[in-house]
């Protein structure tokens, strides 16, 4: 019998979790989807409805897809309110980890949306071509000093999926720098953020002078959890 290490998250032990009413396979290769990330899916679906007139022309990119939960929930039309039927959209889901992508592909098959999502192995935008109406991401955002305070269970998850660099903001800087090249005019970037990061991420987004933070959504604990960036004009 396989021995279970102390502090192994229950989701790894049973090999699955629920997100947006769908079942996802999870193991040590991927971050376990969190309930608050459902807010990001809801917001992305809503802004997808705002960003283009024809649903089947929408291009959506999910950066750092991990288990694939965001792209798959969007494609499956979960986490309403959906203002458009997204089943005809083109969704690219990318991750730097081939191991994570293997899990994500299996989850897409399991949830009946494999044909609709293109999985790409890429370090953020490095191997991504073209522009998107919606760029959505739950990037790693834990700051170095925060690792000392994380629960043992969280430390069993892939470090690469959590580690946002010295101040936790490395990925927001890199994503913001690529938005001019990869976000369509009139498109939106939606990202999950960590506790207390809103002001710093707003600064990063606004620095270029061509994007601004147009809104934020709070999670169940009243913490700003999702930010929305848009073109200034
Ligand atoms: N929400 C996760 C946590 O609290 C972090 C996920 C991330 O870094 N994107 O551990």
């Amino acid at each position: 019998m396989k021995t279970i290490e102390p502090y192994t998250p229950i989701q790894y032990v049973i090999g699955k979790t629920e997100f947006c009413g769908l079942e996802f396979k999870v193991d040590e290769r991927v971050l376990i989807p969190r309930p608050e990330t459902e807010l990001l899916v809801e917001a992305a679906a809503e802004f997808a409805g705002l960003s283009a007139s024809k649903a089947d022309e929408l291009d959506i990119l999910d950066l750092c897809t991990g288990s694939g939960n965001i792209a798959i929930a969007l494609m499956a039309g979960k986490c309403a309110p959906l203002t458009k039927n997204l089943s005809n959209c083109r969704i690219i889901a990318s991750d730097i980890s081939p191991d994570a992508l293997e899990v994500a592909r299996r989850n897409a098959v399991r949830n009946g949306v494999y044909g609709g999502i293109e999985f790409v192995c890429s370090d953020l935008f490095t191997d991504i071509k073209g522009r998107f109406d919606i760029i959505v991401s739950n990037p790693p955002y834990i700051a170095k000093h925060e690792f000392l305070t994380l629960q043992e269970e969280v430390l069993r998850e892939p470090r690469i999926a959590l580690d946002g660099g010295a101040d936790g903001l490395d990925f927001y800087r890199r994503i913001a720098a690529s938005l001019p090249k990869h976000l369509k005019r009139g498109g939106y970037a939606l990202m999950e953020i960590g506790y207390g990061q809103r002001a710093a991420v707003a600064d990063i987004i606004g620095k270029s002078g061509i994007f601004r933070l147009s809104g934020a959504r709070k999670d169940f604990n009243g913490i700003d959890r999702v930010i929305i960036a848009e073109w200034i004009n």
Side-chain angles (χ1 to χ4, degrees):
M1 210 174 92
K2 199 182 155 199
T3 51
I4 298 167
E5 299 291 325
Y7 300 112
T8 303
I10 184 72
Q11 294 90 338
Y12 289 162
V13 177
I14 62 174
K16 62 185 180 180
T17 194
E18 199 234 84
F19 180 80
C20 285
L22 299 169
E23 198 175 278
F24 287 82
K25 176 193 154 56
V26 290
D27 59 30
E28 282 81 355
R29 293 173 290 180
V30 295
L31 187 86
I32 299 161
R34 307 288 202 268
E36 56 268 31
T37 304
E38 295 186 0
L39 293 170
L40 181 61
V41 177
E42 279 176 23
E46 192 184 317
F47 278 82
L50 294 174
S51 74
S53 54
K54 291 197 186 126
D56 42 1
E57 285 177 7
L58 279 188
D59 290 301
I60 297 177
L61 173 65
D62 172 21
L63 286 173
C64 312
T65 196
S67 66
N69 57 315
I70 296 170
I72 291 166
L74 275 172
M75 198 49 139
K78 296 295 173 181
C79 268
L82 276 180
T83 46
K84 300 235 175 199
N85 174 11
L86 299 186
S87 55
N88 290 326
C89 294
R90 196 172 71 99
I91 300 190
I92 292 180
S94 75
D95 205 285
I96 193 171
S97 159
D99 281 348
L101 286 172
E102 203 179 305
V103 177
R105 281 193 190 95
R106 286 185 59 179
N107 279 324
V109 172
R110 172 184 282 228
N111 286 294
V113 294
Y114 186 69
I117 302 174
E118 186 186 340
F119 293 93
V120 177
C121 190
S122 175
D123 179 7
L124 293 181
F125 289 98
T126 310
D127 292 297
I128 302 291
K129 291 180 186 65
R131 289 183 183 269
F132 299 86
D133 298 280
I134 296 291
I135 295 173
V136 62
S137 184
N138 175 17
Y141 54 66
I142 306 292
K144 197 170 183 183
H145 66 92
E146 289 176 312
F147 276 91
L148 301 171
T149 64
L150 289 182
Q151 292 173 348
E152 289 290 340
E153 284 82 359
V154 180
L155 295 172
R156 296 294 178 276
E157 296 184 85
R159 174 98 185 196
I160 193 178
L162 294 166
D163 192 341
D167 62 1
L169 303 170
D170 281 3
F171 287 81
Y172 304 109
R173 291 191 192 90
R174 290 181 58 198
I175 292 170
S178 294
L179 290 183
K181 211 174 130 200
H182 289 288
L183 194 63
K184 285 189 201 171
R185 283 262 160 205
Y188 299 94
L190 298 100
M191 293 185 278
E192 183 169 316
I193 58 170
Y195 176 75
Q197 291 179 331
R198 178 183 169 161
V201 174
D203 275 355
I204 291 168
I205 301 288
K207 226 178 188 153
S208 63
I210 48 177
F211 295 98
R212 69 167 163 239
L213 193 122
S214 67
R217 299 276 162 93
K218 291 191 192 301
D219 68 14
F220 327 107
N221 295 312
I223 294 167
D224 287 312
R225 186 58 67 186
V226 171
I227 60 98
I228 300 125
E230 66 178 3
W231 291 89
I232 285 175
N233 47 47

